[in-house]
Amino acid sequence: MKILVVDDEADVQPLFLQRFRKEIRNNEIEFNFAQSGEAALTFLHDKQSEVVLILSDINMPGMSGLELLTHIREDFDTPPPPVVMMITAYGDEENHRQAMEKGADDFLTKPLDFNLLKEKLKTFTEQ
Amino acid sequence: MYFFIYLAGFLLLRRIIKTVKLTPLHVKWGSILNIASGIIWVLFIALSKLPDGLDALVSAALLGGILYYFLQEPDFKLVRPYIIAHYPLVGITAISGLVELVSSKFYSENDDYFELAILVGFTWIFARWASSKKQEEEFKLVNQQNIVLDKLVAERTAELQKQRDELQETVKLLQTTQQQLIQSEKLASLGELTAGIAHEIQNPLNFVNNFSEVSMELIDEMGEELEKGDAEEAMAIANDIKQNLEKIRHHGKRADGIVKGMLQHSRASSDVQEPTNVNNLADEYLRLAYHGLRAKDKSFNAEMVTHFDDALPVVNIVPQDVGRVLLNMFNNAFYAVQQKQKSGLAGYKPTIEVSTQKVDKWLEIRVKDNGTGIPDEIKDKILQPFFTTKPTGEGTGLGLSLSYDIIVKAHNGQIDIDSKEGEYTVFIVKLPL
């Protein structure tokens, strides 16, 4: 399963790679990273069909996570549409409502609970 | 008849004695003048034996000599007009003596006229003396008035001095109050910052927690690998752990820097200018302002567009002071777009644009928002202390006035404002390079 993680913090990359090292080693999950909404869209233009799940931060300089979500839903609607999970430090109702309205599949809050994330990934893969 | 000239000489000396009597000049002149006035009568008796005509000339010359002597003496400057009043008497006496010598017949035929002339000369002296005495009295009166005035002036001066001292005290008190106000304004903006700072610290703290957690797992794994005897894999894991520790350290320092920045912002300004990267400063405070507002109003969102000139030179500024100015401008910009958003405009997209660039010898920071704008009628007032459009309790009204002090007075810079009500506001901060 190919997952695209979108976050402006560069250190998110080694963190995910280490947290999921067993899954990566067992070839269950493959991670790709983008440091901005714009970079994520470019990446998706090239490899849309491969990406199954997108994890995106909401608060990023430039294109916000919610805007990225809108673009993904508009530009990459060929079935099966990728699963999109939004992450933000602000676990507020407004962001949650907007994310859901714009077509997010799930919503996670920072600090990320990796065990919870793994559970969720498992349910999505089982589906 | 020449008795009058001696009388005039005697009276002149007496008069001068009287004038100097109550002055320091008395010591110098008192006795000399007394003796001289006696000598005049001795001379009168002695010279009366001279032949007719000659005695007149001699007496005229004598008085003339006395007059000349007094006119030369600076000590008698004040009585000069009185001395000069003797000239006609001296002249007339000399002429009559001369006429008598040359033609005693003509003289004896007209002696009534000559004597009358001498009397007129003598009277003239006293007429002049009377008028000069009147002048002197006036002068005395003026002097007295001057003394009264001097006293009055001294009293007023003392009063003014007292008032000045009181005013200085008041100014000191005001300065202290101003310092306290500046401090409370700093604390007020710090309060707004707190939420933003909490968010900024949260990110590095998450990394610290995550990397240390994952490292603990890695150590367990490393132990398993060692038990299995796979030293190579154990080494690889050890390397990962080392990298993680570095990351923990990096993010710890990041949080440390944010806390330090916060302390720097709250403490009294050190006024030390240091070479500063304005792009970093603007970026840091823009994020803080945004998060601060988000913490109060979670539904709020604004697009932040930054155009930072990468080739911007460093500039010598007091970073926490200029940071406060930027923070204030960002807060204002966010407030303006928030207010406009609240009015429920369809399709409105709150946008804050921050740009930096070098223009000639200036470093320019522009903060533009598409918010409510500034009405023309208050444009002149917004830099005044305590002027605020915010509801009571929400703004101190000191933000922009302090910004003006920091940029214009402390950094020799400029603040320009351009705004159209309902459309946009641009604040342009210029710092000299």
Side-chain angles (χ1 to χ4, degrees):
Chain A
M1 179 170 63
K2 215 168 200 173
I3 296 177
L4 175 64
V5 179
V6 189
D7 199 311
D8 57 316
E9 295 268 11
D11 276 348
V12 159
Q13 302 178 16
L15 187 65
F16 268 81
L17 293 178
Q18 288 186 23
R19 283 288 190 177
F20 288 92
R21 64 194 178 285
K22 276 182 192 151
E23 289 79 359
I24 294 167
R25 205 186 303 145
N26 300 336
N27 289 323
E28 289 167 23
I29 299 174
E30 189 194 328
F31 279 102
N32 289 100
F33 298 94
Q35 265 184 266
S36 70
E38 290 86 348
L41 283 181
T42 318
F43 183 85
L44 286 174
H45 272 291
D46 295 345
K47 303 181 174 170
Q48 186 224 342
S49 53
E50 299 168 30
V51 176
V52 182
L53 195 142
I54 298 160
L55 274 172
S56 174
D57 191 17
I58 287 183
N59 287 300
M60 289 183 292
M63 188 188 290
S64 81
L66 291 174
E67 282 174 79
L68 173 66
L69 174 61
T70 313
H71 278 293
I72 291 170
R73 286 302 175 234
E74 280 171 5
D75 303 349
F76 305 100
D77 52 353
T78 42
V83 175
V84 181
M85 288 189 193
M86 303 307 294
I87 312 166
T88 179
Y90 294 103
D92 64 285
E93 275 311 299
E94 181 58 28
N95 262 337
H96 185 256
R97 191 187 59 75
Q98 277 196 35
M100 288 310 179
E101 206 179 85
K102 289 183 198 299
D105 295 280
D106 212 334
F107 192 80
L108 295 160
T109 55
K110 278 184 184 178
L112 266 187
D113 182 340
F114 279 89
N115 291 327
L116 183 72
L117 178 60
K118 279 181 190 177
E119 286 294 312
K120 288 195 176 197
L121 290 181
K122 218 175 259 174
T123 41
F124 275 108
T125 32
E126 277 162 15
Q127 278 171 8
Chain B
M1 201 61 229
Y2 306 124
F3 164 75
F4 283 110
I5 208 157
Y6 293 95
L7 182 60
F10 173 74
L11 288 173
L12 172 63
L13 290 172
R14 297 315 300 177
R15 171 105 194 101
I16 290 173
I17 290 167
K18 210 177 155 195
T19 342
V20 299
K21 202 164 193 173
L22 293 170
T23 68
L25 291 174
H26 184 65
V27 184
K28 186 175 168 191
W29 294 103
S31 49
I32 301 172
L33 292 171
N34 262 322
I35 294 163
S37 67
I39 290 172
I40 284 187
W41 294 120
V42 175
L43 283 171
F44 171 63
I45 294 160
L47 296 173
S48 62
K49 303 283 184 262
L50 284 172
D52 284 347
L54 192 60
D55 62 349
L57 277 177
V58 170
S59 60
L62 187 68
L63 184 59
I66 293 171
L67 298 181
Y68 179 76
Y69 177 75
F70 283 134
L71 284 175
Q72 294 303 309
E73 195 51 64
D75 287 352
F76 304 115
K77 222 176 183 171
L78 281 174
V79 288
R80 215 167 257 183
Y82 178 57
I83 295 165
I84 290 165
H86 289 74
Y87 282 0
L89 180 64
V90 173
I92 292 162
T93 312
I95 290 164
S96 79
L98 209 61
V99 171
E100 205 178 352
L101 269 182
V102 173
S103 164
S104 63
K105 193 177 163 240
F106 176 77
Y107 180 80
S108 41
E109 277 169 10
N110 298 289
D111 64 343
D112 285 352
Y113 296 107
F114 282 106
E115 276 163 22
L116 189 69
I118 287 171
L119 264 176
V120 168
F122 185 72
T123 317
W124 171 255
I125 295 168
F126 292 94
R128 287 303 309 264
W129 175 65
S131 80
S132 80
K133 196 168 180 187
K134 203 176 145 201
Q135 277 179 357
E136 212 170 276
E137 264 158 20
E138 276 168 11
F139 184 71
K140 255 186 201 162
L141 197 72
V142 170
N143 256 349
Q144 258 169 4
Q145 281 171 344
N146 275 349
I147 289 168
V148 174
L149 279 175
D150 277 350
K151 212 176 137 193
L152 215 63
V153 168
E155 272 171 28
R156 290 284 149 82
T157 310
E159 222 169 274
L160 284 173
Q161 191 94 31
K162 203 180 139 203
Q163 279 179 351
R164 200 195 64 179
D165 289 349
E166 279 170 7
L167 279 174
Q168 263 172 351
E169 278 299 303
T170 316
V171 167
K172 233 183 246 172
L173 196 74
L174 279 173
Q175 278 169 343
T176 318
T177 315
Q178 190 192 24
Q179 283 304 316
Q180 284 166 348
L181 277 172
I182 291 173
Q183 201 58 24
S184 58
E185 162 67 23
K186 278 186 194 173
L187 288 176
S189 58
L190 183 68
E192 281 173 28
L193 272 188
T194 314
I197 288 166
H199 171 83
E200 287 294 303
I201 295 177
Q202 190 62 52
N203 271 337
L205 279 183
N206 286 344
F207 280 115
V208 169
N209 289 337
N210 272 313
F211 278 115
S212 49
E213 253 178 65
V214 99
S215 296
M216 271 159 62
E217 285 174 24
L218 286 177
I219 285 172
D220 287 344
E221 248 177 71
M222 191 171 71
E224 284 164 24
E225 294 300 332
L226 284 174
E227 268 173 24
K228 272 194 265 171
D230 192 345
E232 204 178 318
E233 183 60 25
M235 272 311 288
I237 295 172
N239 258 333
D240 280 352
I241 295 170
K242 193 184 168 195
Q243 271 171 24
N244 287 355
L245 291 176
E246 265 166 23
K247 297 232 174 279
I248 289 168
R249 197 166 136 251
H250 167 75
H251 288 284
K253 275 192 173 168
R254 195 175 141 196
D256 189 56
I258 293 163
V259 172
K260 282 209 177 99
M262 184 173 74
L263 293 177
Q264 212 170 40
H265 178 81
S266 67
R267 76 160 171 251
S269 171
S270 61
D271 287 338
V272 178
Q273 298 205 341
E274 47 187 275
T276 308
N277 182 326
V278 171
N279 288 345
N280 289 348
L281 195 73
D283 190 49
E284 185 186 332
Y285 278 98
L286 180 64
R287 289 161 71 116
L288 289 178
Y290 176 67
H291 292 308
L293 197 76
R294 287 276 312 209
K296 279 193 282 186
D297 177 4
K298 285 189 193 300
S299 67
F300 177 75
N301 211 323
E303 188 176 358
M304 290 178 282
V305 184
T306 53
H307 303 286
F308 290 144
D309 180 358
D310 291 331
L312 204 69
V314 290
V315 60
N316 267 318
I317 51 171
V318 183
Q320 64 264 44
D321 280 356
V322 175
R324 271 172 53 212
V325 173
L326 292 174
L327 178 68
N328 183 258
M329 292 190 172
F330 297 149
N331 279 340
N332 286 345
F334 281 125
Y335 184 82
V337 294
Q338 191 191 28
Q339 291 303 110
K340 191 163 166 183
Q341 196 181 38
K342 275 182 186 167
S343 68
L345 218 65
Y348 175 62
K349 201 174 176 191
T351 309
I352 313 284
E353 284 173 56
V354 184
S355 58
T356 56
Q357 58 178 331
K358 182 178 176 281
V359 180
D360 295 329
K361 290 184 170 177
W362 298 91
L363 190 153
E364 207 177 87
I365 310 163
R366 300 172 82 96
V367 181
K368 181 176 180 178
D369 67 72
N370 62 347
T372 47
I374 306 166
D376 281 337
E377 59 267 27
I378 64 163
K379 263 180 196 161
D380 296 338
K381 297 183 197 152
I382 55 169
L383 291 176
Q384 288 174 11
F386 304 111
F387 181 83
T388 178
T389 58
K390 293 181 183 171
T392 314
E394 279 191 36
T396 59
L398 285 173
L400 277 179
S401 120
L402 285 178
S403 298
Y404 183 85
D405 284 356
I406 291 169
I407 298 300
V408 179
K409 293 189 187 160
H411 288 89
N412 298 317
Q414 288 176 15
I415 294 183
D416 294 329
I417 303 155
D418 180 21
S419 181
K420 195 172 172 196
E421 192 175 357
E423 304 259 325
Y424 67 89
T425 301
V426 194
F427 276 90
I428 303 153
V429 174
K430 286 179 181 171
L431 295 164
L433 283 169

